[in-house]
Structure formats: structure tokens, C-alpha cells
Amino acid sequence: MDPECSRLLPALCAVLADPGQPVADDTCLEKLLDWFTAVTEAGSSLLLLQENPCLVELLFHVLKSQDLSSRILSFSLRLAGIFAAQENCFQYLQGELLPMLFGEVGPLGGAAWTAPAVRSGWIQGLRTLAQHPSALRFLAACGAVDTIFSLQGDPSLFVASAAGQLLVHILDLAMRGPAEGHRSPQACDWPACAQKIVGHIEDSLCSTAVPQVTQALSVLTTAFGHCHGLWTQGLWVRLSPLVARLLEKDPVPASHSLVDLLLSVARSAPSSYRGLWETLAQTLSHLSPTQAGPLALGILKLQDCPQALRTQAFGILLQPLACVLEAAAQAPGPPGLLEGAAGNSMTVDTLLSSKSACVGLLCCALAHLGLLQPLPQRPSPWPQAPLLGAAVTILRLCSGSAAPTSDVGSRLCAILVGCGRVQRAALDFLGALSQGTGPQELVTQVFSVLLEYLVSPESSSMSWMPVGHFQRLLPRKNEVRCSLSPCIPSPSYTPGRGRGQAGQLTPGPAAPLFPLQVLKKAFQATLRWLLSSPKTPGCCDLDPHTQLFLRELLPVLQKRLCSPCWEVRDSGLEFLTQMTRHWGGQAGFRQALLASEVPELTKQLLRDPESYVRASAVTATGQLSSWGLCATPAGHECPGAQQESLLVELLHILSTDSEGFPRRAVMQVFTEWLRDGHADVAEDAEQFVAGALQAASRDLDWEVRAQGLELALVFLEQLLGQRGSHCPYAVALPETAPPGVLAQALQVLCRVQLFEFAFRALFDCDRPVAQKSCDLLLFLRAKAAPCGSPQEAGDSPNVASVEATLQRWQAGEQGQPLGYLEPGAVVALLRSVDLEGLRDTLAESSDHVEKSPQSLLQDMLAAVGVLGENEADCY
Amino acid sequence: MPEIRVTPLGAGQDVGRSCILVSIAGKNVMLDCGMHMGFSDDRRFPDFSYITRSGRLTDFLDCVIISHFHLDHCGALPYFSEMVGYDGPIYMTQPTQAICPILLEDYRKIAVDKKGEANFFTSQMIKDCMKKVVAVHLHQTVQVDDELEIKAYYAGHVLGAAMFQIKVGSESVVYTGDYNMTPDRHLGAAWIDKCRPNLLITESTYATTIRDSKRCRERDFLKKVHETVERGGKVLIPVFALGRAQELCILLETFWERMDLKAPIYFSTGLTEKANHYYKLFIPWTNQKIRKTFVQRNMFEFKHVKAFDRAFADSPGPMVVFATPGMLHAGQSLQIFRKWAGNEKNMVIMPGYCVQGTVGHKILSGQRKLEMEGRQVLEVKMQVEYMSFSAHADAKGIMQLVGQAEPENVLLVHGEAKKMEFLKQKIEQEFRVSCYMPANGETVTLPTSPSIPVGISLGLLKRELAQGLLPDSKKPRLLHGTLIMKDSNFRLVSSEQALKELGLAEHQLRFTCRVHLHDTRKEQETAVRVYSHLKSVLKDHCVQHLPDGSVTVESILIQAAAHSEDPGTKVLLVSWTYQDEELGSYLTSLLKKGLPQAS
């Protein structure tokens, strides 16, 4: 322990023991325990106590004191546990202190026990302490195990959960003893402590009270999840009949916990546990469809599992979708999801029993199948086509565009129409299915339903758009509904009216549920489908269907960019950016995009009242421009003049926008442009970099300045060659640049005033900026190694004055500029500044001083008596 | 038994990372999702593993409600929605939705500054989280789903702060978040109608305090700033981006105007425009005075408050600077503090609470020699002042709100256990309601008896009135009718109307009884004897002898038959309707006594 901390400790213990001195901040005691844990992990606890007797005195004092706060008592119990985790220290404390703290004479029997914090401290203390056989004997002797049993049903979730975990820990400790290797799997030979715990679990499993069954199952789940000794097999042999007996009850008690247990056993080493597969199969058939879903998913995720069980599990997940498909079928169609099993009456009953049951079951099934889809162990063959059909059908039932004729179908339609939760889940699932292929007819239906969702969730109209191929695929009912809706403003409508008006879309009692979220999911799913679209063989362009879809999609996107909701405009722009990034070079995409008003609208959104939208518009415009797709009045690909105006516009945003997000986005676009050799940037990169850095250096947002350094680094690399490592905080040893190149490069860097920017950033008040700048300068110094001797430039008056300025900057006075620097002076400066030292200082987080144990102790001591001055209220 | 369950994951007997789970009529709602700034590891967030155990988060939780933009109420939201995986709806007011990202970015900066980017949520995550928000208006009933509805009420405290009523059927809970019952310079007082919820969950920060008038604190603040500036000193006020800072700006602006002071007032990192923008946008959320004068002069368009540039800190002469972050964690406020700390003419005013582990906490506890990086020691000679401008209801205010809402039960959160204990007793005594104060992780379960509203038909009421008894609200009356459930509604109607509405045919319920008479005569003769007897006894009733030999008295039918085994005994079959139950019973007992001997 640090001598200074050791010096402060007695005073602190005195404060803690004084009931009249409440502790200043509720986090202090936690941090103190963290520190003691670290100290005891690094050295001997016994020595610590011997060198700091105040600690044991504190524990004794706590026991005697009647009016100590529950927080201090809880702290003391946990502290004692930390010390007693080492066996010799345990022996040292065992005589009097530990029985008094953890035995019946301690807080356990007193009024303090009513405080959950004390019960929690008691459990945590024992949990930390129970690390050796002596602790086990102590627990048995003081009757702690019985108390832990009762705490499993504690009204505090935290206490109850910790009690269960402690039981498992004790069981494991008892079984891990010296005889571990020879321990018989036969439970009857186990140590008394383990027998007691297992007996308790048995009793609980047989109980008619569901909470007790739940507790037992949770303990077992933790045991099989965390303990891997041979004894767990014996445990399973002994308890599995009781677990199986739970399945005979109707309804199955604590089904959620039962599923957790079975999966925990199956995940650990399933082949070691006799009868496990049978129990799993039995459970699948006994649980309701909703309860069985998570178990089915868990089984299908297992690496090694009998095929019959997998088939049964997959059937459970498919059932709800099969029912939907069957219910919605107009006429006998292609083979369904589950031949012969589609009409499982239990699933149909659940689906139709109530809206919440139906929504819950469908959402779970969709989510589970979505999780399964990308896994290598997913069932094979994977019924991609029927699943696609089911997802499309569900989405149509939700949107009201499907009109099933069967009774079940009509009922489902009535339940699902307008249901946001199912819509979101189905769109997520549909997105996940984009990873597989499907028959063209179905893919067309997917695009059609996605288009329907992109158009419709916001109670808007399609009447202003010509009806296209994909929209013609929509059922007639939908077209009628759309034609009755009011017209939306024309595409030339000024986008965005800001947040002040956005509230008009807030759903009232009759409004659709979360349309924005549904729309966002529709965008995400569409993007996934588009990006996974196959390319025409032998051609680098899009396939005709995607091409056709794009043509219908862009007017919809155009409309979304005019939405009065900032969230919609923003999602639209993000969608456009992704699409352009992926397809910017494809002729079909370029053609469709340029024929639309999307580029022009995107540019208009640079002046959106919402800063998030402006930022997304900057990114989208930057991306469009990179591919030569920015807006032109004639709809042609842009000539240089247009491009120039965009650069000016972005620079204007960088210098004037009052919000950080758009400015950050501009710097990112500039960096990307420079990195990718954007034609117009490459024309005069020097001027471009100088302009960007000048604007960034004045910026109040630390991320803009940090991004400025990123841009500077790209520029440096282009001039001097790549860095060895891509890790931004690791400075590799780059090869030095040839002297001729270097001299020229330094001239350029001086002209763009990169050094002024970097040195200013080196002393930035925000650490990440300073750190980035330090890395950049170190890189530059390594590259500049061969350039001149230190004496050559170092003695010039120019360098001396610059050094003086830098010192003032370091002291926080950054008013004075550096002025123009000669390359020689720069090299000299790079050598004279202790960059390594600075890097080390910056690498230590800026709060390492305030977070140090010494600082913590000082704070706790200093807070004595001045508590009222800084009372927790809010922040 | 229906019940309401409340489990605080944070704010249960403490202040910091408010997060309260409420289960009401099968719906699960999370109230606030705050963070604790005193921790820099995962403990800063509520332990969500207790929710994820119940299955998929989005399936378990029906919605999340955020009361206001302070980080101890919304700081964990992007973590919860973008990292833990909650994908459902989040409700908050419009100003909260607009200002939340600014505060979250503000704190993200501190977190990244200290531990690096990997440690925290990203800007993109904040934005994605905000896109999941559904903005609510004051007093607008928002239907979360078919059964769950929420309604926001004005809470004062900070711009956009709201109390929320959560209602499922007839059961309701009101959550106050943080609130203030007295108006201040820029905000009004909290208000709620007499909604009589089953449970009121109220903050209790100042549970035992009767706070002095805010005017006194304001006067004190102005006096100290003025004195410092007059003696040529500089005043640093570390603040978070939005909230308290604007209130203090209005205060200084008005004072500067009145006193004609020339010393500059600066506000760092472009926050003046930002604040101005939001306050202008949400002017209806401010207090009456600001709203009234807004047309002539926007109080947030400051004449004296200018944007700060880093170079200004070195300028000679007096000045006042508002700089972020608020607890002198890092960044600009800390940098300015370091520059000015050595001069005793200067002053730092901490306008709010500082967590341990910050320079703000150190200087407030009186430490004057601070160790900085590289073993440097910074001697703090400048004056250090603490003035809490936080706007919470004090004990009187909390009692006032309980009186206003008239809840059946009260539950205290966001306060210290000892203070809560005091307030709990006071509430129980004064309002005769149960008051709870669960610790974090403890569940309070309240049984409820949901009242099911039943409509009554006008016809039935009129019929009741026709009986001549005028209704009296104090005297309960028994009313017979048929309860029907149609279109998920309950209605009490007359049985005729019920039959008509439900398209059912009426069924007759008849009671029957056999009475054995010793009579050797033929059945027809026995019937005649019965008729004569009844005719003589029941003079007020219509007694008839029908051609088929049966006798009727009103709806009662009597038929005589021979006994199958005993020819000397006749069996009288008596049957009557439910309506003539009384007469039927009387007749049976009369006949059981036997017939009078023939004269």
C-alpha cells in the first residue's frame, strides 16, 4: 500500500466508525472496496491488517456500535470478506470477528438486518470469503447455509439473486476440495455441506410453491453454467427425475427458468448428462408455443444435438408462420412450411386467443428465426422460400393489404392490422432473409411489400406518383385506400420544418403505432435486400428487377426526404448514402438517380433546420459528389463548377454552422475526399487542406478538431508515405522519407500551416485531440529524421521565438499565433519538444489523479463536516 | 389478484441513475433510464440483467418513459437501446427529445476524454436512440397500445420536464420525475390534476428541507459575482450545456442591464445560440412572464452574454465565464479553472452537485492543494462558492403535490433513506395513505381492486324513477337488471332489453311440487274440491277451473292425478313461475294441510 494512503487510513477508519459523519458520496464506499480488492490481490491481506491495525479496529467498532448506518455495516461485511479470502488472514480473523460479523450474534439477528443493503453486504462478504476449506467449515459452523436458503426468497431482487449464486459457489467449493479427482459422481458420497444444499434443491423442486421451484431451477442453471467438475453429472442423475416431474404438471411451473436450466445443461457437455435429449424433447412438447420458442432456438444453436430433436425444435419455431401462411392462403398453393403440421391446434389457439398472445408469439418466432438465419448450424435445408412468403404475408396482414378469406385468416388480419411491434419484427426478419436467395417471383413480392411500407406507414399518399410495376403488385384494396388519402406536398416543397412542428405526427389515441420506427426498419430491410441483389452474370450492372425496383423506389425516397419529421428525412439520407457507397459506380443506379430529384433534394437538406439532418445531408452529398452524382439543374452528371460550389458550401457549413454534427460530417467528407483522391480536391490539394485546417483549428467542437488531425494525417501520408500501423494510438517506426521528398513535403506542410494546427492541438484542453496530434507529430518526426542536424536550425532566432510561444501555449495561453515556419525550424522544433513524454502523460487518462486511491481517501476525509455544501440532487 | 409492482433499479433510497420498473395490469414500463456520473465502469448504468432475465427485452418491456433531460434520468438510454438491445418505443416530451442528445454528447466527451472511445456509446448511437423516441405533448393522452396509455403533466424543474400518468384500464400510476412546485425565473410550477392514481411515485430529494426562497440565493449569487467583478476578478461558473446555465444567464443579463455593468460575460462552446434556439422553440414550456414578454423581447437573446473563445481566458480584467463541463471533470472548464485558480481575486461558483472523483468535488470539500498530472500541485487561492440552483420540490412542495393528485398510495424515490423515512411518516399521518420507500432491487407490491365501469340503460333508470323514489347520492339503492357485455363494454339493462339486444328467446322457469291427498274420489272430483277450497280462501285472486280439469290461480297450475299404487290417495301436481314464487309456496303449504271435509 502506498505510504501516503497508509498514513490517511486511520483517520478515514475513524470517520467511517463515527455515526455522526455520514459518507459524502454513495460511490465512495464502493470505490474503497475496489481499492482494497486490488490491494489484497496484489499482496498479503494478513500483512495489510498487521500494518494497518485501524482496519480490524474499524470492524470491531462496527460490531459494537448501535447506530451505524446500514451502508457502513454493509461495507464492513464486504471488507471483512475481502480480507478473509486469504486463508491465513481468515485464521487471523476467525476467532472472534468473523463469527460476530456473519454469525447469528451479528447483524443477522439485529434490527439492521431489515435493510437490504446489510443483507446484500452479508452475502457479498461471504461470497468473497468462501475461497478455501476453512471458510467452508466456518459456513457450516455458523449456520450460514440455512440463512442463505431463506435469502433466496428475499424481497430484494439483488439479495435473492446473490443468495442463489452464493449457494452455487459453496456447492462448487465443497465439491472442489482435495478429493476432487476421486469424487464419486454418486451424490450420496458427497460432503455434508453439498448434501444439504442438494437436499434443499430437491425439496424446492418438489414444492407446490412456484417461487421455490423457480429458485431451485435458477440455482441449478448457475451451477451447470459455471461448474464443470465431474460431480455435476451426479447432480444431474439425482435431480433430473425431479425436473422431469415438473413437466407432468399443468401448467408447467416456472417454465422460463426450466428452459434456462435445460439449455444451461445442454450447453455445458450434453453427452455427459444421461437422458438429457429425451427431457428436452419432452419439454418441447409439453410447453406452450410461446414458452417453447426460446428452448427451440437454444436447441438449434447447439453444436451437437440429435437430428430428431432439431427437427422437433425447428418445427416449434416454424409453427406460427406456418399457421399464418395457411390461414392467409387464397387457394392451395405451393408446399407450405410444415407439411401436415401447419394446423397445430395449440399454435392456432394461441394465435387467436388474444391480441397480446398473438403478437407475442409471432414476434418471438420472427426474432428467433432471424437469429438462426445467419448461423452455420441453422437447419438444412433452410426453407427460404416459404419463410419469405410468410414474412411477406405477415407484413401484408399488418398493413391491411391482404384479404384472407378463411375465418382464421380474417381473425388474424383483425388482430394484426396496424400492429407496429409485429411490423418491426417482420421487417427485421425480412432483412435477415436477404442473405439467402429465393425464386424471382417471391423476391418481386418482397420488393413490392417493402415499397408498400416505405410509402404507407406515415398515412401518406402515393397518388402523386405514377403507379409502377411493384406497386401494381399491391392488392387492389391498398390502391383504393391510397387514392382516398390526401395529397402530400409536391417534391419541390421546402424540406423540414424543424422540431417545433414535428410533434403533429405524435400519435394520438387513434394514430398508427410507432410509424417512424416501422419506416426506419423498412429502410434497413430494403437496403439489405438491395445490397444483396445479385448482379447480372457477366455484367457489372444491376439485374433488371433491381433496376426496375430502383426506379420506383427513388420517387418514394424523394418523398421521404420531404417529410416534416426529421427522423424520416435523416433515415432517408442515411439510406441514400449507403446505397450510393455501394452502387455509385453502376450505370443503372446512376441513371435512375440522376433522373430523379433526389440529388437536388439532398443538397437542399444541407440547410435543414435539424442539425442531425444537416449532418446526414453533408455525408450523403459528399458521397454523391465522390461518384460525380451531385445535383445539377439539367439532370446531367456534374461539371467542375457545380462541384466547386459544393466545396464552398461545405466549407461554409464548417465555418458557420452552429451545431457540431454537420461540422464533424464536413470534416469526415473532406478526409474521405482527400483519401480517395477526389478529382476536384486533387486539383489543388494544398489549398483544400489549408482551408479545411484553418476552419477546423478555430472550431469549438473537439471532434471537429480531432477529425482535422485525421485529415492532416491523410495529407501527410500522401506526401511522405504510409504509417506502419493503422492503429490510431500506436506509433510504429516508419521508414524515413528520402531527403529530397522530405524537404519538398515540409515546404508544403508549412504552406498549409499544418504545424500551427498540430502544435495548437498538442496543447488542446481535450485529451483525445492532444493525443492525436502527438501521434501525428511523432510520425512526422520519424519521417523527418535525416533532414539536417539539430544544430543547423535549432539555434536560429525563429526557433527560439517559436519555442517560447509553444511554452506559452502549453501553459494555456494560446492567443498568439506561431507565424510562418521554415521547414528547418519545424524539424528542430520536432526534436526539441518532448513528444514521448507528452505521449506518456496523455496516455494516462486525465482523471488518473482524481481516481487514485490517495485522492479518494483525501476526498472522503475532506468531505467530513462539509456535507451540506455538496448534496446530491441532480445533474 | 390484480396488483401493481414497482422495483427501482436505481433511485431507490439514493440519488443517481433513476430507473424504476413498474408493472401495472400486465404491462411493464421503465420509468427513466439514468446513469451515475460517480462511476466510470458499468456500475454507472442500472443493472439491466434483472430485466433481460425475463426473456427478450423488447418483448418484456412495453415502453420506456423519460421524465427529463438530466443525465441521472436519461444517461443510460443509448446504452440501453443501442447496446443492451431494447428496440421498443421511448416516450419523452419534445424539448427533452431535442435537448437529450446535447447533454449525452456533453457527457460522451468526458467519457471519451477519460477512457477513450471504446468505453462508451457513440454519437451515431445517440442519434439512433433518439430516432426511437415518440414525442408527447402535455396533457395529451398517448395510446402506447390497446390497453396502455400515458399522459404528461408539467413538472417545472428543467425545460421540458414532465410528470407521467401511466394508465391501464382503471388502474393508474403517476411518476413525478424531478419537479418543482414554485416557479423560477424561466420555468413555471409543476401541476397535476386530481387524477387519484392508485400510486404516486414521487421524488424526495429535499424530503426534509423547507428551502429558503430562491430569490435569496439569487441575490447572494449576484452579490458575489458583482463583488468579484468590481475588484477586477474573474468568475468561472462550470455548467452543463443546457438547463441551469440559461437560468443564471437570465439572472446576470438582467442584473448587468440594471447596474449598467461593462465586464464581459462569456458562454463557452457556442452554447448561447444553441440554448437560445431551444428556448425559443419551446417557449410554451417556460414561465408565464417569459411567454408574455416574448413578443417584445426574447429573454434568451442576451445582450451581454457573448460566445467564448479560448484566447479570452488570458485577457486582463474582470469577466464572467460559463464553461462546460459542470463538475470540472475535464475539458474547457477545468482548463480555465487551472489558469485562474492561483489568483485570490477570482472566484469559482459551483451551481450544482459534484460527484466524487471530480475537481469540483475536491474544491467543494475544502481542498486547496490539488495534485494535477505529472505530480504538479495546483494551489487554489481563488474563492470557491457553492450555490445549489437545482429546482426540486421541498417537503412542503411534495406534500402539496400529494394533496393535489390524491393518490391511494405513495412511493418515494430519488432521495436519501433517512430523509425519506421522515417524509413517509408525514405523508401517512397527513393523508392517511400508505407510503413506501423501497431500496434498489426491492419490489413493492400493491393489490388493486380495479373498478369496472358499467353503463346503465336509460329505460331501466326511468323505470326505477317511476317507482317514485328520487335518487339520493348518499344512499345506495338496490337495482335489478341484466348485466350484458357487448363490444367489450358492460351495461346494465332490463331483462326485456337484454333479450332483445342479444336476440335471445325468453325461457320460463317453473317450480313444481307434488302434494298427496287422502281422497278416494275420482280425480275430477278432487279437482273440483280443490277449486272450491281455493276459491273460498283466495278471495283476491283469480281462481279458475279449466275445461281440462286443471285449476289455475294466477300463473299457478294444479292438476289432480291418481296415485299409481294407492287408489285412496290423489296426487296434486302444483307448478308455478318464478314471479309467483311467494303465492306458489303459500298454496303448496295450504294444500298440504288437506281439503275441508265436504259438508
Side-chain angles (χ1 to χ4, degrees), chain A residues 424-511:
Chain A
R424 284 181 288 140
L427 284 165
D428 272 342
F429 179 54
L430 194 62
L433 288 176
S434 68
Q435 300 312 303
T437 52
Q440 188 53 53
E441 190 194 341
L442 261 174
V443 176
T444 309
Q445 279 187 37
V446 168
F447 280 146
S448 151
V449 83
L450 284 172
L451 206 56
E452 183 188 355
Y453 268 77
L454 289 172
V455 173
S456 72
E458 213 186 294
S459 69
S460 53
S461 161
M462 297 194 297
S463 58
W464 57 279
M465 288 190 302
V467 175
H469 169 77
F470 289 93
Q471 284 154 39
R472 266 195 291 271
L473 292 172
L474 302 181
R476 179 168 291 278
K477 188 179 163 194
N478 194 52
E479 288 176 28
V480 171
R481 188 184 58 169
C482 289
S483 69
L484 290 172
S485 312
C487 280
I488 68 139
S490 74
S492 58
Y493 152 77
T494 312
R497 280 177 280 148
R499 277 173 159 144
Q501 289 82 34
Q504 64 199 358
L505 285 171
T506 307

Side-chain angles (χ1 to χ4, degrees), chain A residues 225-241:
Chain A
H226 293 91
C227 311
H228 304 292
L230 273 178
W231 61 271
T232 53
Q233 292 173 28
L235 188 67
W236 179 249
V237 170
R238 183 160 161 185
L239 297 180
S240 57

Side-chain angles (χ1 to χ4, degrees), chain B residues 349-365:
Chain B
I349 299 179
M350 307 299 300
Y353 171 62
C354 294
V355 294
Q356 193 278 327
T358 60
V359 172
H361 180 91
K362 282 186 179 297
I363 58 171
L364 284 183
S365 60

Side-chain angles (χ1 to χ4, degrees), chain A residues 495-502 563-571 573 604-618 653 657-663, chain B residues 94 97-99 101-102 127 130-131 274 277-278 281-282:
Chain A
R497 280 177 280 148
R499 277 173 159 144
Q501 289 82 34
S563 166
C565 259
W566 74 267
E567 293 93 334
V568 177
R569 299 196 298 278
D570 192 73
S571 293
L573 286 167
Q604 282 181 29
L605 289 172
L606 290 173
R607 292 185 293 277
D608 195 276
E610 173 57 49
S611 65
Y612 273 141
V613 179
R614 289 201 299 280
S616 295
V618 166
I653 291 172
D657 202 300
S658 63
E659 304 268 352
F661 304 122
R663 302 199 308 267
Chain B
Q94 274 190 305
Q97 187 194 12
I99 299 169
I102 298 172
K127 180 167 87 169
M130 286 303 133
K131 282 187 178 176
K274 208 177 279 182
H277 171 69
Y278 287 115
L281 207 56
F282 303 119

Side-chain angles (χ1 to χ4, degrees), chain A residues 9 30 49 80 161 181 197 206 208 304 321 327 332 348 358 364 439 460 480 482 538 636 639 741 786 865:
Chain A
L9 212 47
E30 287 280 328
L49 293 189
S161 158
I197 294 173
C206 297
T208 49
D304 174 29
L321 302 198
V348 177
C358 176
C364 280
S460 53
V480 171
C482 289
H636 298 299
V741 174

Side-chain angles (χ1 to χ4, degrees), chain A residues 654-734:
Chain A
L654 182 61
S655 326
T656 58
D657 202 300
S658 63
E659 304 268 352
F661 304 122
R663 302 199 308 267
R664 289 179 199 173
V666 170
M667 283 309 293
Q668 272 159 5
V669 165
F670 282 176
T671 311
E672 223 166 286
W673 280 3
L674 185 64
R675 187 179 287 130
D676 300 344
H678 191 291
D680 297 289
V681 170
E683 245 175 47
D684 192 351
E686 237 182 276
Q687 198 196 340
F688 168 76
V689 171
L693 290 186
Q694 199 191 358
S697 68
R698 288 194 303 260
D699 206 287
L700 297 167
D701 187 309
W702 68 282
E703 292 202 44
V704 175
R705 300 196 298 277
Q707 192 61 46
L709 286 160
E710 194 65 43
L711 180 119
L713 187 64
V714 171
F715 191 55
L716 270 183
E717 285 178 342
Q718 287 178 349
L719 287 176
L720 298 167
Q722 292 283 319
R723 290 204 300 178
S725 161
H726 289 292
C727 171
Y729 298 114
V731 176
L733 293 171

Side-chain angles (χ1 to χ4, degrees), chain A residues 127 130-133 135-136 139 145 163-181 183 190-198 201 219-220 222-233 235 273:
Chain A
R127 170 73 180 75
Q131 304 295 337
H132 36 74
L136 213 53
L139 290 173
V145 176
Q165 283 170 20
L166 178 56
L167 277 186
V168 176
H169 180 74
I170 296 171
L171 183 62
D172 193 34
L173 182 68
M175 298 303 292
R176 265 195 289 121
E180 183 180 14
R183 187 81 71 205
W190 291 358
C193 182
Q195 291 279 12
K196 185 171 182 166
I197 294 173
V198 174
I201 297 172
V219 167
L220 289 175
T222 315
F224 286 104
H226 293 91
C227 311
H228 304 292
L230 273 178
W231 61 271
T232 53
Q233 292 173 28
L235 188 67
Y273 300 108

